[in-house]
Amino acid sequence: MRGSPLHDPLQKPSADPAGLPWTTAQPVIPHAAPVGRFTTGPADSAAAQATSVPAVQPSGVRPAVDQQVARELKRQVAAELHEQLSRLSDLSGVEADRATRRQRGRALIDEAVARWSDAYAQTHGIPPTREQDRALAEAVYDLLFRAGRLQPYLDDPDIENILINGCDDVWISKVHQPLRQVPPVADSDAELIELLQDLARQHGGGERSLSTASPMLALRLEGGMRLQAMTEVTPRPYVAIRRHRVASATLADLVQLGTVDHTLAAFLASAIRARKNVMITGTQGVGKTSLLRAMAAEIPPDERVGTLESEFELWLHTLGHLRQVVPMEAREGNGERVDGKVAGELTIGELIPAALRMTLSRIIVGEVRSGEVVPMLRVMTNGEGGSMCTLHARGPQMVVDRIAELCLEYGAHMTDTLAYRLTANAVDLIVHVSMVDETALGGRRHRFVSHVMEVTGIGESGRPALNTVFGPRPDLGEPRAVPHTPPNCLDDLRRAGFDAGLLQSAYGSWGAPLNLRIGGGR
């Protein structure tokens, strides 16, 4: 088989050569597949390019891979694997599981790489090195079973966001670093869409797809990452991938990270034990899900809890603290509409009535986005208490109106007055998470709880009345939540073990105001 060069000598180097995922030390994964000419990246010498002889690689550096050859080998191996698995299924009457598919795939990839390597040696007179064969095998394996050229970014634990605006416009953000552009993850938009379709087949449970009929795709990837993609309705394929870096944090862990102090952590833990209904709010990427997961760790382990999510992100059923978790995930439809609804679709709002029949003591909704807020508020009103959810809102004072807006999406019979009454009866505490991003100034991203508001019933004009229990103190240069006004439910919290004396300190448990480059305690 004839491979094509990976690097064009006349092509400009990538926007960030140092960030090339295949030019830095990478974990070796036992995959297999062939490549064309090997290079070490844009810095290859002209002589090496002219002779097409495999370059000697520095120790710990993965050779670059001819993606065209990798894609061709992937297609060959996929066809052979399908044939093998079909024969196996016919003989046993059972579909091969994921581990079997990957094991047989590795063997086929190794064989394909060996065949290509022999052909390369015969053509060029010098065989590829073992490291080059391994790099090619890994590339083919990633294309067949993982995320292709995206995989090195998914494997990097420091990357928080991957933003793709077409195949050749890719950006990443790492912890406490601003966005930076990295090399393309595909050679064309069509190849990028093919990659997304492969991911949908691998992780979509059979009902998620990306096509003209279904131009939007939402997936959970391995490791708890969330992918959102759009095509057809946009000029190019657009993808956003987010990582929850704090996968199993407790409130004590969030104290160490500076999200809350010891006083607020004790308050939130007692609120969970006292079965208060909590809504966690904030903008995208501030840490709402991480806080929700940490607060859920305060639920007594023998309680039966249900989680409802569009894509699994909480993973309470896998973390091990709670012994009885009923995880429920919404299901996308197949693109066909029946009576105005996508056939086969199951929304979070439609799952809630079934969840109520599962004898659950609490219900946790990963994110309230639309009309499902109404059944969620009804669960909070009619249940035993202790339910939680997250909601997007820019500021804590906007939360009440944000809830009312979503309630109005529930149906024509819903009114502002009814939405306010539902909110006042259902929600006990609103916990708002904020972020101050100073990475552009050479600083860091500060994520922290800025407000805890208690809902104290119906107030003026029929709106829910809010009491600021914790909030910032700008006069002290402190944007994080510190004690303000004792809550009306203080006795309930004391019965759950909260020390009311912690609320006497105007500074909470912070040793000093938040050290910001602009504002704060500087």
Side-chain angles (χ1 to χ4, degrees):
M1 182 179 61
R2 180 171 55 87
S4 61
L6 175 61
H7 297 291
D8 183 345
L10 300 179
Q11 187 177 8
K12 290 184 179 180
S14 301
D16 182 9
L20 281 167
W22 45 83
T23 60
T24 55
Q26 297 290 334
V28 175
I29 305 173
H31 321 345
V35 173
R37 176 174 50 76
F38 288 98
T39 69
T40 57
D44 280 335
S45 68
Q49 294 201 20
T51 58
S52 293
V53 174
V56 176
Q57 294 299 314
S59 176
V61 176
R62 178 192 296 175
V65 170
D66 186 331
Q67 294 298 327
Q68 181 178 342
V69 176
R71 289 196 302 274
E72 178 58 32
L73 289 179
K74 176 240 182 180
R75 295 188 186 98
Q76 293 178 14
V77 171
E80 294 176 19
L81 181 62
H82 176 73
E83 184 178 346
Q84 280 196 12
L85 295 180
S86 296
R87 289 199 302 266
L88 181 65
S89 177
D90 292 340
L91 290 173
S92 64
V94 179
E95 292 288 335
D97 60 17
R98 184 178 184 181
T100 299
R101 291 195 300 270
R102 292 195 170 192
Q103 183 180 19
R104 288 178 175 261
R106 285 192 184 101
L108 290 173
I109 290 170
D110 288 337
E111 294 173 5
V113 169
R115 291 194 302 268
W116 176 86
S117 187
D118 290 343
Y120 186 97
Q122 292 176 7
T123 302
H124 296 84
I126 299 178
T129 65
R130 182 176 300 177
E131 290 74 20
Q132 290 165 338
D133 281 349
R134 186 180 295 118
L136 178 55
E138 183 172 347
V140 177
Y141 184 91
D142 283 347
L143 285 170
L144 189 59
F145 293 112
R146 304 178 79 199
R149 289 153 70 178
L150 260 177
Q151 194 62 46
Y153 299 125
L154 302 182
D155 289 339
D156 188 338
D158 290 333
I159 292 178
E160 292 186 325
N161 295 285
I162 305 169
L163 306 176
I164 304 172
N165 313 312
C167 67
D168 55 356
D169 188 11
V170 184
W171 300 75
I172 64 169
S173 65
K174 291 192 173 185
V175 183
H176 306 313
Q177 294 181 17
L179 279 171
R180 65 184 179 93
Q181 194 169 14
V182 294
V185 295
D187 292 335
S188 66
D189 285 350
E191 182 187 330
L192 174 59
I193 291 174
E194 181 182 348
L195 170 61
L196 295 170
Q197 291 169 338
D198 286 344
L199 289 174
R201 283 189 288 270
Q202 295 172 30
H203 304 286
E207 72 276 354
R208 299 186 187 233
S209 63
L210 185 68
S211 63
T212 302
S214 300
M216 291 172 284
L217 173 67
L219 288 177
R220 64 182 189 279
L221 303 176
E222 292 179 355
M225 289 168 285
R226 184 175 71 183
L227 178 149
Q228 180 69 50
M230 300 175 66
T231 188
E232 302 294 337
V233 296
T234 54
R236 304 185 69 184
Y238 285 75
V239 186
I241 301 174
R242 286 187 53 208
R243 180 195 307 275
H244 291 287
R245 297 186 58 251
V246 187
S248 57
T250 63
L251 287 174
D253 295 326
L254 296 188
V255 170
Q256 297 299 316
L257 292 172
T259 305
V260 296
D261 65 353
H262 289 286
T263 299
L264 184 51
F267 180 90
L268 295 177
S270 63
I272 298 303
R273 293 193 295 269
R275 306 192 71 88
K276 298 302 175 184
N277 292 322
V278 179
M279 186 171 284
I280 299 173
T281 64
T283 55
Q284 189 174 24
V286 296
K288 300 186 298 298
T289 302
S290 297
L291 178 59
L292 178 58
R293 194 183 295 116
M295 292 175 66
E298 299 297 326
I299 299 174
D302 288 329
E303 286 198 29
R304 185 171 168 86
V305 177
T307 62
L308 295 94
E309 303 175 81
S310 55
E311 300 87 34
F312 286 136
E313 292 183 274
L314 293 172
W315 300 107
L316 300 186
H317 57 293
T318 66
L319 296 179
H321 166 68
L322 296 168
R323 298 188 179 97
Q324 292 197 64
V325 179
V326 182
M328 289 161 275
E329 186 178 49
R331 187 178 70 191
E332 292 188 357
N334 60 14
E336 299 177 1
R337 290 191 171 271
V338 179
D339 297 329
K341 179 184 174 182
V342 179
E345 181 184 32
L346 274 177
T347 66
I348 289 177
E350 291 169 325
L351 289 173
I352 288 178
L356 294 174
R357 294 191 287 271
M358 296 299 294
T359 317
L360 303 173
S361 65
R362 305 176 193 244
I363 287 181
I364 299 175
V365 174
E367 183 179 338
V368 171
R369 298 174 181 171
S370 186
E372 67 268 11
V373 68
V374 173
M376 181 68 208
L377 292 174
R378 288 173 176 166
V379 166
M380 289 180 165
T381 302
N382 301 327
E384 300 178 40
S387 293
M388 294 186 285
C389 67
T390 71
L391 175 78
H392 278 161
R394 196 160 54 111
Q397 302 296 341
M398 303 177 184
V399 172
V400 169
D401 287 325
R402 181 85 177 101
I403 294 173
E405 290 172 7
L406 297 182
C407 284
L408 294 177
E409 297 181 14
Y410 183 71
H413 61 283
M414 182 60 63
T415 63
D416 287 347
T417 301
L418 180 54
Y420 291 149
R421 188 182 307 134
L422 277 171
T423 304
N425 291 334
V427 181
D428 296 310
L429 296 170
I430 296 169
V431 180
H432 191 75
V433 189
S434 298
M435 179 173 68
V436 177
D437 187 350
E438 294 191 317
T439 56
L441 306 173
R444 55 184 293 167
R445 294 185 184 92
H446 302 271
R447 295 179 172 93
F448 50 85
V449 174
S450 61
H451 295 77
V452 176
M453 316 286 287
E454 181 186 27
V455 182
T456 58
I458 297 293
E460 297 179 1
S461 304
R463 292 171 56 87
L466 300 178
N467 171 30
T468 303
V469 182
F470 288 80
R473 290 192 180 272
D475 54 319
L476 303 176
E478 181 56 83
R480 299 171 294 190
V482 294
H484 276 238
T485 306
N488 292 349
C489 64
L490 183 58
D491 287 343
D492 293 339
L493 302 183
R494 291 173 58 199
R495 294 185 188 99
F498 180 65
D499 179 4
L502 293 174
L503 298 177
Q504 300 304 313
S505 172
Y507 305 95
S509 304
W510 299 116
L514 183 62
N515 188 12
L516 297 175
R517 291 179 177 263
I518 297 179
R522 292 187 64 85

